[in-house]
Amino acid sequence: MRNTKTAAFYVGKGGVGKTTSAAHMGVAAAREHGLDVVLIDLSGTQNDLATQFGLGDSIEDPDAPISAVFGDDWDFIAENIPDIVDRMVYETAEGPDLIPSDSGLSGADNNLASAPVEERYLKLAEFVETHLTDRYDLVIFDLPGKEDNVSLNGIFAAEHIVTPLCPGKFERRQLENLREDLESIRDELADVLDTRDVHPHLAMVIPTMITARTKQSADFVEEIEAAYPEAAAEPVAKSQNISNLQGQGKTLFAATDDELYATGKRARDAYRTNTATLLEAISHD
Protein backbone atom coordinates (compact mmCIF):
# COMPACT_ATOMS: atom_id res chain seq x y z
CA MET A 1 0.00 0.00 0.00
CA ARG A 2 1.28 3.45 -0.92
CA ASN A 3 1.64 6.35 1.47
CA THR A 4 -1.22 8.15 -0.24
CA LYS A 5 -1.59 11.88 0.41
CA THR A 6 -4.81 13.85 0.16
CA ALA A 7 -5.84 17.48 -0.27
CA ALA A 8 -9.19 19.21 -0.74
CA PHE A 9 -9.73 22.46 -2.61
CA TYR A 10 -12.54 24.24 -0.84
CA VAL A 11 -14.01 27.66 -0.14
CA GLY A 12 -17.64 28.62 0.32
CA LYS A 13 -17.86 30.59 -2.93
CA GLY A 14 -17.47 29.93 -6.64
CA GLY A 15 -15.51 31.88 -9.19
CA VAL A 16 -12.27 32.17 -7.22
CA GLY A 17 -10.17 29.68 -9.18
CA LYS A 18 -10.84 26.61 -7.04
CA THR A 19 -11.30 24.10 -9.85
CA THR A 20 -8.60 25.77 -11.97
CA SER A 21 -6.12 25.51 -9.08
CA ALA A 22 -7.01 21.88 -8.37
CA ALA A 23 -6.49 20.95 -12.02
CA HIS A 24 -3.19 22.79 -12.43
CA MET A 25 -1.70 21.49 -9.20
CA GLY A 26 -2.83 17.97 -10.00
CA VAL A 27 -1.06 18.20 -13.36
CA ALA A 28 2.07 19.66 -11.76
CA ALA A 29 2.18 16.85 -9.19
CA ALA A 30 1.87 14.21 -11.91
CA ARG A 31 4.21 15.75 -14.48
CA GLU A 32 6.91 17.30 -12.35
CA HIS A 33 6.93 15.05 -9.30
CA GLY A 34 6.19 11.74 -11.00
CA LEU A 35 3.15 11.01 -8.84
CA ASP A 36 0.11 8.94 -9.70
CA VAL A 37 -2.67 11.48 -9.15
CA VAL A 38 -6.45 11.28 -9.20
CA LEU A 39 -8.73 14.31 -9.18
CA ILE A 40 -12.20 13.72 -7.72
CA ASP A 41 -14.86 16.24 -8.76
CA LEU A 42 -17.48 16.62 -6.05
CA SER A 43 -18.32 20.24 -6.81
CA GLY A 44 -21.64 19.69 -8.55
CA THR A 45 -23.21 18.58 -11.79
CA GLN A 46 -21.45 20.93 -14.23
CA ASN A 47 -18.39 18.69 -14.51
CA ASP A 48 -15.98 21.62 -14.63
CA LEU A 49 -12.95 19.40 -14.08
CA ALA A 50 -13.94 17.21 -17.00
CA THR A 51 -14.33 20.33 -19.16
CA GLN A 52 -10.91 21.57 -17.99
CA PHE A 53 -9.38 18.44 -19.52
CA GLY A 54 -11.54 18.34 -22.64
CA LEU A 55 -13.62 15.40 -21.42
CA GLY A 56 -16.94 17.13 -20.83
CA ASP A 57 -18.77 15.63 -23.80
CA SER A 58 -17.71 12.07 -23.01
CA ILE A 59 -18.66 12.16 -19.33
CA GLU A 60 -22.22 13.44 -19.36
CA ASP A 61 -23.54 10.29 -17.67
CA PRO A 62 -20.78 8.32 -15.87
CA ASP A 63 -21.19 4.56 -15.96
CA ALA A 64 -20.11 4.28 -12.33
CA PRO A 65 -20.93 7.57 -10.52
CA ILE A 66 -18.95 8.83 -7.54
CA SER A 67 -22.26 9.63 -5.81
CA ALA A 68 -22.77 5.89 -5.30
CA VAL A 69 -20.01 5.96 -2.67
CA PHE A 70 -22.32 7.92 -0.37
CA GLY A 71 -25.29 5.56 -0.75
CA ASP A 72 -26.50 2.76 1.49
CA ASP A 73 -25.83 0.19 -1.25
CA TRP A 74 -22.18 1.06 -1.81
CA ASP A 75 -20.72 -1.91 0.07
CA PHE A 76 -22.91 -4.30 -1.92
CA ILE A 77 -21.95 -2.60 -5.20
CA ALA A 78 -18.24 -2.67 -4.41
CA GLU A 79 -18.34 -6.34 -3.40
CA ASN A 80 -20.25 -7.49 -6.48
CA ILE A 81 -18.70 -5.34 -9.22
CA PRO A 82 -14.95 -6.00 -9.02
CA ASP A 83 -14.03 -3.35 -11.59
CA ILE A 84 -16.25 -0.62 -10.18
CA VAL A 85 -13.37 1.80 -9.53
CA ASP A 86 -11.91 1.20 -13.00
CA ARG A 87 -15.28 2.21 -14.41
CA MET A 88 -15.28 5.41 -12.35
CA VAL A 89 -11.88 6.61 -13.54
CA TYR A 90 -11.12 8.51 -16.75
CA GLU A 91 -7.63 9.25 -18.04
CA THR A 92 -6.72 12.82 -18.93
CA ALA A 93 -4.16 13.80 -21.54
CA GLU A 94 -2.07 15.72 -19.00
CA GLY A 95 -1.21 13.11 -16.38
CA PRO A 96 -3.81 12.88 -13.61
CA ASP A 97 -6.77 10.54 -13.68
CA LEU A 98 -10.23 11.96 -13.11
CA ILE A 99 -13.33 10.77 -11.29
CA PRO A 100 -16.02 13.16 -12.54
CA SER A 101 -19.02 14.57 -10.75
CA ASP A 102 -22.52 13.35 -11.51
CA SER A 103 -26.14 14.36 -11.07
CA GLY A 104 -26.59 12.08 -8.07
CA LEU A 105 -24.41 14.21 -5.78
CA SER A 106 -27.28 16.52 -4.74
CA GLY A 107 -29.32 13.51 -3.68
CA ALA A 108 -26.30 12.04 -1.95
CA ASP A 109 -26.08 15.10 0.26
CA ASN A 110 -29.68 14.62 1.35
CA ASN A 111 -29.18 10.91 1.99
CA LEU A 112 -26.14 11.56 4.16
CA ALA A 113 -28.22 13.73 6.46
CA SER A 114 -30.06 10.64 7.70
CA ALA A 115 -26.91 8.61 8.36
CA PRO A 116 -25.56 8.28 11.91
CA VAL A 117 -23.04 11.02 12.74
CA GLU A 118 -20.25 8.51 13.27
CA GLU A 119 -20.73 7.33 9.66
CA ARG A 120 -22.02 10.44 7.87
CA TYR A 121 -18.72 12.18 7.28
CA LEU A 122 -16.44 9.18 6.81
CA LYS A 123 -17.80 7.48 3.70
CA LEU A 124 -15.38 9.20 1.33
CA ALA A 125 -12.40 8.55 3.60
CA GLU A 126 -13.29 4.86 3.69
CA PHE A 127 -13.59 4.81 -0.11
CA VAL A 128 -10.12 6.31 -0.46
CA GLU A 129 -8.59 3.94 2.07
CA THR A 130 -10.20 0.85 0.58
CA HIS A 131 -10.05 1.54 -3.14
CA LEU A 132 -7.52 4.25 -3.97
CA THR A 133 -4.49 3.85 -1.71
CA ASP A 134 -3.14 0.98 -3.80
CA ARG A 135 -3.48 3.04 -6.99
CA TYR A 136 -2.51 6.64 -6.27
CA ASP A 137 0.13 8.70 -4.51
CA LEU A 138 -2.07 11.79 -4.34
CA VAL A 139 -5.85 12.24 -4.19
CA ILE A 140 -7.22 15.74 -4.80
CA PHE A 141 -10.85 16.63 -4.10
CA ASP A 142 -12.59 19.56 -5.77
CA LEU A 143 -15.38 20.29 -3.27
CA PRO A 144 -18.68 22.18 -3.62
CA GLY A 145 -18.63 25.90 -2.92
CA LYS A 146 -20.86 25.42 0.09
CA GLU A 147 -20.77 23.59 3.39
CA ASP A 148 -22.83 20.44 3.01
CA ASN A 149 -22.45 16.77 3.86
CA VAL A 150 -20.50 16.02 0.68
CA SER A 151 -18.07 18.87 1.41
CA LEU A 152 -17.60 17.66 4.97
CA ASN A 153 -16.81 14.19 3.65
CA GLY A 154 -14.11 15.74 1.50
CA ILE A 155 -12.74 17.80 4.37
CA PHE A 156 -12.57 14.72 6.60
CA ALA A 157 -11.01 12.55 3.89
CA ALA A 158 -8.40 15.13 2.91
CA GLU A 159 -7.56 16.86 6.21
CA HIS A 160 -5.39 19.31 4.22
CA ILE A 161 -7.59 22.16 2.97
CA VAL A 162 -6.39 24.37 0.10
CA THR A 163 -8.31 27.62 -0.37
CA PRO A 164 -7.86 29.74 -3.49
CA LEU A 165 -9.13 33.32 -3.13
CA CYS A 166 -9.26 36.32 -5.44
CA PRO A 167 -9.07 39.94 -4.23
CA GLY A 168 -12.15 41.21 -2.43
CA LYS A 169 -13.50 41.78 1.07
CA PHE A 170 -16.18 39.12 0.64
CA GLU A 171 -13.60 36.52 -0.32
CA ARG A 172 -11.45 37.35 2.71
CA ARG A 173 -14.49 36.94 4.94
CA GLN A 174 -15.12 33.54 3.36
CA LEU A 175 -11.63 32.48 4.43
CA GLU A 176 -12.24 33.62 7.98
CA ASN A 177 -15.54 31.73 7.95
CA LEU A 178 -13.73 28.60 6.78
CA ARG A 179 -11.22 28.80 9.61
CA GLU A 180 -14.05 29.29 12.10
CA ASP A 181 -15.98 26.39 10.54
CA LEU A 182 -12.97 24.07 10.83
CA GLU A 183 -12.63 24.97 14.50
CA SER A 184 -16.35 24.34 15.00
CA ILE A 185 -16.11 20.97 13.24
CA ARG A 186 -13.20 19.97 15.46
CA ASP A 187 -15.15 20.93 18.58
CA GLU A 188 -18.52 19.43 17.65
CA LEU A 189 -17.22 16.18 16.14
CA ALA A 190 -14.20 15.63 18.34
CA ASP A 191 -15.17 12.05 19.22
CA VAL A 192 -15.44 10.99 15.57
CA LEU A 193 -12.28 12.85 14.56
CA ASP A 194 -10.21 11.51 17.43
CA THR A 195 -11.36 7.95 16.82
CA ARG A 196 -10.14 8.13 13.24
CA ASP A 197 -7.15 10.38 14.05
CA VAL A 198 -8.47 12.96 11.57
CA HIS A 199 -7.43 16.60 11.94
CA PRO A 200 -8.80 18.91 9.21
CA HIS A 201 -6.81 22.12 8.90
CA LEU A 202 -6.11 24.98 6.52
CA ALA A 203 -2.94 23.94 4.71
CA MET A 204 -2.65 26.59 1.99
CA VAL A 205 -4.25 29.86 0.91
CA ILE A 206 -3.63 30.76 -2.74
CA PRO A 207 -4.18 34.35 -3.86
CA THR A 208 -5.58 33.99 -7.40
CA MET A 209 -6.39 36.35 -10.28
CA ILE A 210 -3.71 38.75 -9.12
CA THR A 211 -2.99 41.78 -11.30
CA ALA A 212 0.55 42.94 -10.63
CA ARG A 213 0.01 46.65 -11.15
CA THR A 214 -3.16 47.18 -9.08
CA LYS A 215 -3.18 48.34 -5.49
CA GLN A 216 -6.15 46.09 -4.71
CA SER A 217 -4.19 42.97 -5.65
CA ALA A 218 -1.06 44.11 -3.82
CA ASP A 219 -3.01 44.93 -0.67
CA PHE A 220 -4.88 41.62 -0.84
CA VAL A 221 -1.69 39.56 -1.13
CA GLU A 222 -0.09 41.50 1.71
CA GLU A 223 -3.15 41.00 3.88
CA ILE A 224 -3.24 37.24 3.25
CA GLU A 225 0.48 36.90 3.99
CA ALA A 226 0.12 38.82 7.24
CA ALA A 227 -2.97 36.94 8.42
CA TYR A 228 -1.83 33.44 7.36
CA PRO A 229 1.98 33.48 7.27
CA GLU A 230 2.33 29.70 7.39
CA ALA A 231 -0.38 28.98 4.80
CA ALA A 232 0.00 31.86 2.32
CA ALA A 233 1.07 30.59 -1.09
CA GLU A 234 2.66 32.11 -4.17
CA PRO A 235 0.15 34.48 -5.82
CA VAL A 236 -1.25 33.31 -9.16
CA ALA A 237 -1.35 35.98 -11.85
CA LYS A 238 -4.55 36.76 -13.69
CA SER A 239 -4.04 35.67 -17.30
CA GLN A 240 -6.16 35.40 -20.40
CA ASN A 241 -4.16 32.27 -21.20
CA ILE A 242 -5.98 30.39 -18.44
CA SER A 243 -9.47 30.89 -19.82
CA ASN A 244 -8.32 30.51 -23.43
CA LEU A 245 -6.74 27.16 -22.70
CA GLN A 246 -9.70 26.03 -20.60
CA GLY A 247 -11.82 26.54 -23.68
CA GLN A 248 -9.51 24.09 -25.45
CA GLY A 249 -9.66 21.57 -22.59
CA LYS A 250 -6.09 22.26 -21.44
CA THR A 251 -4.11 23.68 -18.53
CA LEU A 252 -1.18 26.06 -18.76
CA PHE A 253 1.14 23.07 -18.56
CA ALA A 254 -0.09 21.85 -21.94
CA ALA A 255 1.09 25.06 -23.65
CA THR A 256 4.58 25.91 -24.86
CA ASP A 257 6.37 29.03 -23.68
CA ASP A 258 5.78 30.62 -27.07
CA GLU A 259 2.02 30.19 -26.61
CA LEU A 260 1.91 31.96 -23.24
CA TYR A 261 1.87 35.61 -22.29
CA ALA A 262 4.12 36.75 -19.47
CA THR A 263 1.12 36.50 -17.13
CA GLY A 264 0.51 32.92 -18.22
CA LYS A 265 4.11 31.98 -17.52
CA ARG A 266 3.94 33.61 -14.08
CA ALA A 267 0.70 31.78 -13.27
CA ARG A 268 2.17 28.46 -14.38
CA ASP A 269 5.29 29.05 -12.30
CA ALA A 270 3.15 29.91 -9.28
CA TYR A 271 1.16 26.68 -9.60
CA ARG A 272 4.44 24.79 -9.97
CA THR A 273 5.85 26.40 -6.80
CA ASN A 274 2.63 25.93 -4.82
CA THR A 275 2.44 22.27 -5.77
CA ALA A 276 5.96 21.63 -4.50
CA THR A 277 5.20 23.53 -1.29
CA LEU A 278 1.97 21.63 -0.69
CA LEU A 279 3.55 18.23 -1.32
CA GLU A 280 6.35 19.08 1.09
CA ALA A 281 3.87 20.19 3.74
CA ILE A 282 1.56 17.19 3.56
CA SER A 283 4.45 14.73 3.43
CA HIS A 284 5.35 15.75 6.98
CA ASP A 285 1.81 15.50 8.43
Side-chain angles (χ1 to χ4, degrees):
M1 184 178 296
R2 309 183 190 208
N3 185 21
T4 302
K5 301 300 181 182
T6 51
F9 286 68
Y10 174 72
V11 65
K13 183 182 184 296
V16 296
K18 176 174 60 66
T19 297
T20 300
S21 297
H24 279 79
M25 292 175 68
V27 171
R31 284 192 169 190
E32 306 198 354
H33 297 268
L35 301 183
D36 290 323
V37 180
V38 63
L39 294 156
I40 302 181
D41 189 350
L42 299 170
S43 64
T45 59
Q46 294 181 342
N47 255 328
D48 288 339
L49 268 177
T51 301
Q52 170 73 76
F53 291 104
L55 298 173
D57 292 340
S58 60
I59 307 182
E60 292 183 0
D61 187 18
D63 174 52
I66 186 62
S67 59
V69 169
F70 303 104
D72 295 334
D73 297 331
W74 170 248
D75 288 341
F76 177 83
I77 293 171
E79 289 173 5
N80 289 275
I81 306 179
D83 65 342
I84 187 65
V85 177
D86 292 328
R87 292 163 63 176
M88 283 184 173
V89 173
Y90 293 77
E91 293 183 359
T92 75
E94 295 195 46
D97 284 346
L98 171 66
I99 298 179
S101 63
D102 65 84
S103 59
L105 284 170
S106 57
D109 180 64
N110 294 330
N111 292 337
L112 285 167
S114 61
V117 173
E118 61 271 17
E119 300 175 8
R120 184 182 308 163
Y121 306 121
L122 300 175
K123 291 183 179 290
L124 191 60
E126 292 170 354
F127 168 70
V128 171
E129 291 172 7
T130 304
H131 299 284
L132 299 185
T133 53
D134 62 339
R135 295 168 175 252
Y136 296 105
D137 304 304
L138 177 65
V139 180
I140 293 177
F141 306 102
D142 184 18
L143 301 184
K146 57 183 178 179
E147 182 184 331
D148 60 12
N149 292 311
V150 172
S151 289
L152 288 171
N153 263 266
I155 289 171
F156 276 46
E159 297 191 64
H160 310 97
I161 312 304
V162 179
T163 298
L165 285 178
C166 59
K169 292 182 179 179
F170 179 81
E171 284 73 14
R172 171 63 196 281
R173 182 58 197 162
Q174 288 295 113
L175 180 58
E176 293 173 354
N177 288 343
L178 173 59
R179 185 159 64 173
E180 292 169 2
D181 289 343
L182 290 175
E183 292 175 355
S184 176
I185 289 168
R186 284 192 290 266
D187 292 340
E188 295 176 9
L189 301 173
D191 291 343
V192 178
L193 293 170
D194 291 344
T195 298
R196 292 295 298 264
D197 194 27
V198 174
H199 307 284
H201 62 280
L202 188 61
M204 178 173 281
V205 183
I206 306 175
T208 61
M209 306 182 196
I210 299 302
T211 305
R213 293 185 176 87
T214 66
K215 186 176 186 301
Q216 182 188 33
S217 285
D219 289 348
F220 179 72
V221 171
E222 184 177 333
E223 187 178 8
I224 292 296
E225 291 174 346
Y228 305 93
E230 296 183 358
E234 185 74 16
V236 177
K238 183 177 182 179
S239 177
Q240 188 63 40
N241 288 137
I242 294 176
S243 56
N244 288 347
L245 286 164
Q246 283 174 335
Q248 301 172 37
K250 300 176 181 179
T251 72
L252 293 167
F253 291 98
T256 65
D257 284 350
D258 290 342
E259 295 174 308
L260 296 179
Y261 303 130
T263 54
K265 293 176 184 177
R266 290 202 301 271
R268 184 185 59 186
D269 288 345
Y271 282 128
R272 180 180 288 126
T273 297
N274 291 339
T275 301
T277 301
L278 179 64
L279 292 174
E280 177 69 17
I282 65 180
S283 69
H284 290 102
D285 286 353

